[in-house]
Amino acid sequence: MTSYMKRSLSRRSLLQGVTGIAAAGGLAGVVDLARAASADRSNATERLRVGYLPITDAAPLLVAHSEGLYQPNVVSTSKPVLFRSWASLAEAFVSREVDIVHLLMPMAIQLRYSLGSDVKILGWNHTNGSAFTVAPHIRELGDLAGQQVAIPFWWSIHNIAIQKLFRAHGLIPVVRQRASKSGRTVELIVMSPSDMVPALAAGSIGGYTVADPFNAVAEIRGIGRIHSFIGDVWREHACCALLVHADLIERNPTAVQGITNAVVAAQIKIVGDRGAASAMLSDGKYLPQPLPAITKSLTYQADKYVVAHPEWEPQRIGFQPFPFSSFTAELVEAMHNTVVDGDTRFLDRLDPNTTHDDLVDDRFVRQSIDLYGGPGVVGLSSFSRTEEVDAS
């Protein structure tokens, strides 16, 4: 089997999970990914490399690079590596092609507990920042019965939230099953974020849920409209978390502290001047989307949208780095009730009340927050909260 074939199969196995092997192309892809996840390719001498998707969720990692906030002797000064899909970014991370990433938090749970990769979450890269965009003719959720809706990955907050939203409005999400208008079913399909806008424009899907600026792009181009912000379903949820490998923490905690300091400093800088951050990311320097879409993503005007919970400010992407244990517990519970095309058996081994302490190492982000002035500087009053989820 060629190297290209193995890489393709491992990407598909990420999308499908460990079951559904026949659909993913056979056992080889799963074995290859498991081997990549367990291989010892420690980056002991080279500078650490940053990987990202071209979405505003990645802004802290990118602004940290642009502003020279990373320690130059620790993190590579080369431009962060852009990937087009979550599967390709995850594969690059577990195989040590990149060392610092923002990754979907449910996907991080999958990597650690289904595939055995030694991932560790250092903190949150952002809160909110995603939406559900529909074709112009879709006026209410019921109009999606019988159609396809795209999600960026099975194990994503997008898939979890959109299924909550559908069920609350009498729609049934299905996988690998043709959607039925009479049966009020909606077929969910995985699609790379960069493919969603053209798919909506072509009419092949009725909508998609994804991080910005892909929602803003559809609005600006007049091919879609934002129906719901995901932050209007789950208040200040974490979409992407900041991930490194556990052995980096053991080998070089000073470097990890420096990484966390840089990301938190970048988050504070973005919140301080969102317009400047938009310009910093645009013109192809880091994000390929046009400046108006990036700016809109970081500065959505609340009065332009109808939201169920205006007090939540669901349209506003936040850059709050502390990873609440209550969110991890609620997330693990929600994953049990989410339809995916893949293996879910690993969830049976997870205790929502203990997963956070095993997966998340918040020592570094606590020190970073203290370094820059305490919880108030990142908009917090304490390091605990109660989750608020409402899809009605």
Side-chain angles (χ1 to χ4, degrees):
M1 181 180 292
T2 68
S3 174
Y4 174 80
M5 291 172 64
K6 287 184 179 180
R7 290 173 64 85
S8 297
L9 283 172
S10 62
R11 285 193 182 96
R12 277 182 281 171
S13 65
L14 266 171
L15 287 170
Q16 299 292 339
V18 179
T19 58
I21 289 173
L27 182 61
V30 177
V31 172
D32 184 63
L33 181 60
R35 185 180 298 115
S38 60
D40 182 9
R41 302 182 188 177
S42 302
N43 189 19
T45 58
E46 299 179 8
R47 292 173 181 173
L48 303 173
R49 298 144 299 192
V50 176
Y52 74 102
L53 252 63
I55 51 180
T56 47
D57 295 0
L61 290 174
L62 304 177
V63 169
H65 177 264
S66 178
E67 294 292 276
L69 299 175
Y70 294 121
Q71 295 169 293
N73 60 328
V74 173
V75 178
S76 174
T77 56
S78 298
K79 187 176 178 180
V81 183
L82 186 153
F83 294 85
R84 294 292 180 181
S85 71
W86 289 114
S88 60
L89 177 59
E91 182 190 353
F93 178 62
V94 300
S95 63
R96 310 293 181 121
E97 293 176 30
V98 291
D99 311 283
I100 307 163
V101 296
H102 68 112
L103 208 63
L104 298 164
M105 193 154 169
M107 190 180 195
I109 293 173
Q110 180 202 22
L111 289 182
R112 184 167 179 85
Y113 299 108
S114 178
L115 299 174
S117 184
D118 68 337
V119 304
K120 276 287 188 179
I121 291 175
L122 298 179
W124 290 356
N125 218 46
H126 69 101
T127 60
N128 292 350
S130 297
F132 178 41
T133 294
V134 296
H137 69 276
I138 303 295
R139 306 315 305 171
E140 57 184 40
L141 285 177
D143 295 337
L144 288 166
Q147 298 199 43
Q148 287 185 328
V149 165
I151 60 174
F153 199 79
W154 293 118
W155 292 121
S156 65
I157 195 69
H158 310 88
N159 190 29
I160 292 169
I162 204 68
Q163 291 193 28
K164 287 180 179 290
L165 196 63
F166 285 169
R167 291 190 180 103
H169 291 82
L171 293 172
I172 303 170
V174 296
V175 173
R176 290 202 186 195
Q177 176 183 326
R178 186 179 296 275
S180 164
K181 187 171 184 178
S182 61
R184 293 187 63 79
T185 59
V186 180
E187 183 185 4
L188 297 174
I189 58 171
V190 167
M191 187 176 289
S192 296
S194 58
D195 293 331
M196 291 180 177
V197 173
L200 189 68
S204 58
I205 57 174
Y208 59 76
T209 176
V210 73
D212 267 309
F214 291 103
N215 303 289
V217 167
E219 285 202 318
I220 289 172
R221 290 180 54 187
I223 61 171
R225 66 178 185 85
I226 292 176
H227 178 281
S228 307
F229 290 99
I230 303 304
D232 210 17
V233 176
W234 193 325
R235 184 175 189 173
E236 296 178 356
H237 62 278
C239 172
C240 296
L242 175 64
L243 265 70
V244 296
H245 289 280
D247 58 36
L248 177 62
I249 297 175
E250 297 165 2
R251 187 174 72 249
N252 197 342
T254 302
V256 174
Q257 188 64 65
I259 293 165
T260 312
N261 289 348
V263 171
V264 173
Q267 290 173 322
I268 294 170
K269 185 176 286 289
I270 295 167
V271 172
D273 193 337
R274 290 170 180 259
S278 300
M280 196 180 300
L281 297 170
S282 67
D283 296 330
K285 291 191 290 288
Y286 296 102
L287 300 183
Q289 299 88 355
L291 177 58
I294 298 170
T295 302
K296 185 172 187 175
S297 300
L298 293 180
T299 60
Y300 277 118
Q301 300 301 305
D303 59 355
K304 304 296 184 183
Y305 302 91
V306 177
V307 297
H309 307 95
E311 71 280 8
W312 291 5
E313 295 187 292
Q315 81 290 342
R316 193 169 184 82
I317 185 171
F319 295 98
Q320 183 288 107
F322 186 75
F324 290 101
S325 60
S326 58
F327 177 81
T328 307
E330 187 84 18
L331 182 64
V332 172
E333 289 279 10
M335 288 172 70
H336 280 88
N337 301 316
T338 302
V339 175
V340 300
D341 186 5
D343 182 35
T344 61
R345 292 172 297 177
F346 71 95
L347 294 174
D348 296 335
R349 304 191 301 272
L350 299 185
D351 181 347
N353 297 314
T354 60
T355 300
H356 182 88
D357 290 340
D358 181 58
L359 177 65
V360 180
D361 189 338
D362 66 13
R363 294 173 297 164
F364 303 96
V365 75
R366 286 176 182 267
Q367 290 187 47
S368 298
I369 291 171
D370 287 342
L371 175 66
Y372 295 115
V377 174
V378 293
L380 297 179
S381 57
S382 72
F383 289 139
S384 65
R385 77 178 196 184
T386 300
E387 299 305 307
E388 296 179 73
V389 184
D390 182 11
S392 60

